[in-house]
Amino acid sequence: MTRITLPSRRLTALFSAALLLSLLLGGCAELPSLAGRTHSVTLLDTADTKLAQAIMPLAAQHPGVSGIYALSDGRDAFAARALLAAAAQRTLDVEYYIWHKDITGTLLFDALRQAAERGVRVRLLLDDNNTAELDDTLALLSKQPNLEIRLFNPFALRSPRALGFLTDFSRLNRRMHNKSFTADNQATIVGGRNVGDEYFGAAGDVLFADLDVLVIGSVVGAVSQDFDRYWNSPSAYPATLLIKPPSRGDAGDIALEADRIDDTKAAEEYVQAMRTSPFVQQLIERQLPFEWAPTRLVSDDPAKVLDKARPGSGVAANLKNLLGVPSKELDLVSPYFVPGKSGTQAFAELAKEGVNVRILTNALEATDVAAVHAGYAKWRKPLLEAGVTLYESRRSWDEGDAREKTGRFGSSASSLHAKTFAVDDRRIFVGSFNFDPRSIDLNTEMGLVIDSPALAGKLGQAMRGSIPQRAYQVLLQPDGTLYWIARDAHGGITRYDTEPGTSVWKRMGVAILSVLPIDWLL
């Protein structure tokens, strides 16, 4: 008989005290009133700005459509943001889920500060879930005239943040996952990247293989209006209402920190690599080869984080309507792929009807969230039985210098983070939406549906060509067990009968997580 050991009285007392303290702190911490918050909207009088003068002649040649340039390289993605911030003359509207205080994060903070110092109106909207280490920096930035920061769905109790979940879990578990960077209502960047070294190819260890698009033309106005919707929503709180003002210093301290980072070897090498990028020269010289196509914004209602959004109004429903039902091809890239029973059934039905369904997600060795892999792993067998092709992105592969050969979805020692899918090589989505319950039901998401056979076809070509050499393909044996194969550039194949690149302990942990009823949290 197994003996059950009850907690000691001392442990019970400590637990009770901690719970009581959390309830007291959580109960005392309330969000401030928004009575004095100002209402602001997109500035439309930007036709005389440098960006407008460069973009409007191009847009006039392509009325009603938008110019799209894919930013698959992390350094190009950082450069695009930095150059837009430097070029802006009237307004910068910026929203992100994560913003790290590292090389690229600090440099972009300073780029926003410099823009505000020039007289540009800067509105920065950050989801509050990942700002625990930023309060001091945000307090300094808030002292810069023309620069306002709002925190979306914030924690009333600033520290320790975790205690807030005990008393307000249903609200705080819902987050703003949106990502956009818009300058002068003329150009915007939308996609999967947050702000941080790992997203921009500056990290020393693991890089996120990601995808953004730089966009000009008709859809930019819709992105600006959507930003207004979030900025003025009941969930967007001025940072100054939540963060204590700095005891000393001002926004100039951000410039000093950026100067200090600029002098480091890592930053010098990164900035030099960015400056020599062909993309930078093409952008400066107005030579970027934009793909012009009908483009529509899909975005959740910010009321979703309060569980008050109108049913059927979200990104998931709109994507189905705008992308249409695949008749031949469906290519889906999602780093956090948790299809659930209904999603698995939908993919299976498509495959059984003759649609080539190809899905790329992270392998266990490459994922940064093992619990999400557990939520996905249980559905591999029924997907494979229905004829779905499954690829799992490897952490690394032998392809020479990864810095020189970064592909659309990968680099050496990388974790997949791009979120994109294409239907029938005709239409493609690029944005923040993961195919998981969290994106569908809990977080707000946004992205662009682009009617472009050229862009959609590139994803299809990658899934049929380069991806099989950069990912494991998951296959099913006659007895129902899984195995993985890795292909190399020379046609060689290596077989694995367990999750490649993982320990038995990690596999056991995932197996335990996979039987827990936590899919709705993933």
Side-chain angles (χ1 to χ4, degrees):
M1 179 183 293
T2 302
R3 181 179 179 185
I4 300 175
T5 304
L6 296 176
S8 67
R9 290 182 179 179
R10 182 175 182 181
L11 287 176
T12 302
L14 288 172
F15 177 79
S16 299
L19 180 59
L20 177 60
L21 176 62
S22 68
L23 291 175
L24 288 173
L25 290 172
C28 293
E30 295 183 358
L31 289 172
S33 169
L34 292 177
R37 189 188 67 172
T38 58
H39 182 92
S40 64
V41 295
T42 299
L43 299 179
L44 300 177
D45 58 335
T46 61
D48 61 342
T49 62
K50 292 179 180 178
L51 280 173
Q53 295 300 310
I55 291 169
M56 290 176 67
L58 291 174
Q61 297 173 26
H62 303 87
V65 297
S66 299
I68 311 292
Y69 184 87
L71 297 167
S72 55
D73 181 85
R75 292 165 300 193
D76 291 350
F78 175 84
R81 289 163 172 83
L83 290 171
L84 284 184
Q89 293 179 291
R90 294 284 169 76
T91 179
L92 282 170
D93 290 335
V94 180
E95 60 182 339
Y96 283 97
Y97 173 61
I98 293 174
W99 194 302
H100 290 316
K101 190 180 178 181
D102 50 17
I103 292 174
T104 55
T106 300
L107 293 178
L108 281 180
F109 271 143
D110 192 50
L112 298 185
R113 182 201 62 79
Q114 290 183 54
E117 196 171 56
R118 297 195 309 269
V120 177
R121 186 194 70 178
V122 178
R123 298 188 294 178
L124 174 60
L125 180 63
L126 296 177
D127 183 85
D128 198 36
N129 193 48
N130 296 286
T131 62
E133 304 300 321
L134 291 179
D135 276 9
D136 291 343
T137 299
L138 298 180
L140 291 171
L141 277 174
S142 294
K143 297 189 73 174
Q144 171 65 51
N146 302 318
L147 195 159
E148 184 180 358
I149 302 168
R150 292 186 180 177
L151 300 178
F152 194 86
N153 202 24
F155 289 75
L157 181 66
R158 305 308 295 169
S159 181
R161 298 282 187 96
L163 294 182
F165 284 107
L166 294 176
T167 57
D168 204 4
F169 179 81
S170 61
R171 178 180 69 85
L172 293 174
N173 186 45
R174 296 170 175 268
R175 306 312 319 173
M176 183 195 78
H177 199 230
N178 304 23
K179 304 162 178 67
S180 69
F181 194 109
T182 307
D184 284 343
N185 195 33
Q186 297 293 329
T188 189
I189 299 170
V190 174
R193 284 185 178 88
N194 294 297
V195 174
D197 290 354
E198 63 268 41
Y199 302 98
F200 294 129
D205 299 319
V206 176
L207 306 178
F208 280 123
D210 221 323
L211 179 65
D212 295 315
V213 286
L214 171 64
V215 188
I216 60 177
S218 63
V219 82
V220 176
V223 175
S224 294
Q225 291 173 13
D226 193 64
F227 181 91
D228 288 346
R229 185 167 65 143
Y230 276 79
W231 182 257
N232 295 306
S233 75
S235 295
Y237 285 73
T240 51
L241 296 180
L242 296 156
I243 300 173
K244 294 180 180 179
S247 56
R248 56 189 179 85
D250 55 26
D253 290 353
I254 306 299
L256 295 175
E257 179 65 14
D259 288 342
R260 185 192 66 77
I261 286 177
D262 269 338
D263 291 336
T264 64
K265 183 178 180 181
E268 287 178 359
E269 292 177 350
Y270 178 76
V271 172
Q272 179 59 28
M274 182 189 69
R275 286 173 178 166
T276 58
S277 164
F279 162 80
V280 174
Q281 295 303 315
Q282 287 179 313
L283 182 60
I284 292 173
E285 296 170 5
R286 305 176 186 177
Q287 298 291 322
L288 279 185
F290 285 101
E291 172 70 18
W292 292 90
T295 304
R296 288 157 289 184
L297 172 71
V298 288
S299 175
D300 280 313
D301 188 328
K304 185 178 179 181
V305 299
L306 302 176
D307 199 19
K308 295 181 179 179
R310 180 171 53 85
S313 64
V315 168
N318 283 315
L319 282 177
K320 184 177 180 180
N321 294 333
L322 292 175
L323 286 168
V325 178
S327 61
K328 297 179 180 179
E329 311 279 343
L330 174 61
D331 293 300
L332 186 149
V333 178
S334 179
Y336 310 117
F337 177 66
V338 185
K341 184 177 180 179
S342 60
T344 299
Q345 183 177 354
F347 289 125
E349 289 176 355
L350 286 173
K352 290 176 181 177
E353 291 171 1
V355 177
N356 293 316
V357 180
R358 291 175 288 265
I359 297 171
L360 172 66
T361 190
N362 273 312
L364 179 55
E365 70 172 19
T367 187
D368 61 325
V369 186
V372 171
H373 189 85
Y376 146 73
K378 68 183 76 174
W379 302 108
R380 286 185 294 204
K381 185 175 178 181
L383 287 169
L384 292 170
E385 288 175 336
V388 173
T389 301
L390 284 181
Y391 295 112
E392 295 180 357
S393 184
R394 290 185 252 171
R395 182 178 173 86
S396 62
W397 59 88
D398 183 16
E399 199 179 341
D401 183 358
R403 295 285 184 178
E404 295 300 323
K405 299 185 179 181
T406 300
R408 183 175 296 275
F409 301 116
S411 64
S412 181
S414 68
S415 179
L416 182 70
H417 197 258
K419 307 119 177 29
T420 183
F421 32 95
V423 171
D424 292 338
D425 284 347
R426 293 176 56 197
R427 295 174 297 279
I428 187 169
F429 167 83
V430 178
S432 67
F433 182 86
N434 290 298
F435 201 96
D436 62 10
R438 176 161 289 279
S439 284
I440 294 170
D441 299 321
L442 298 175
N443 291 350
T444 68
E445 308 286 353
M446 69 178 297
L448 300 173
V449 174
I450 308 164
D451 292 341
S452 169
L455 294 175
K458 286 182 180 179
L459 176 58
Q461 291 168 14
M463 293 291 275
R464 294 185 289 267
S466 60
I467 293 304
Q469 294 184 6
R470 299 180 175 185
Y472 303 110
Q473 183 173 357
V474 191
L475 297 167
L476 199 61
Q477 298 189 105
D479 63 1
T481 57
L482 302 180
Y483 68 100
W484 291 255
I485 62 171
R487 300 175 175 88
D488 61 34
H490 308 291
I493 292 178
T494 303
R495 172 173 168 151
Y496 303 86
D497 291 313
T498 58
E499 302 257 14
T502 63
S503 67
V504 64
W505 301 110
K506 190 167 189 176
R507 295 194 295 272
M508 285 178 59
V510 167
I512 293 170
L513 287 171
S514 67
V515 300
L516 298 178
I518 59 173
D519 281 15
W520 66 280
L521 285 169
L522 302 177

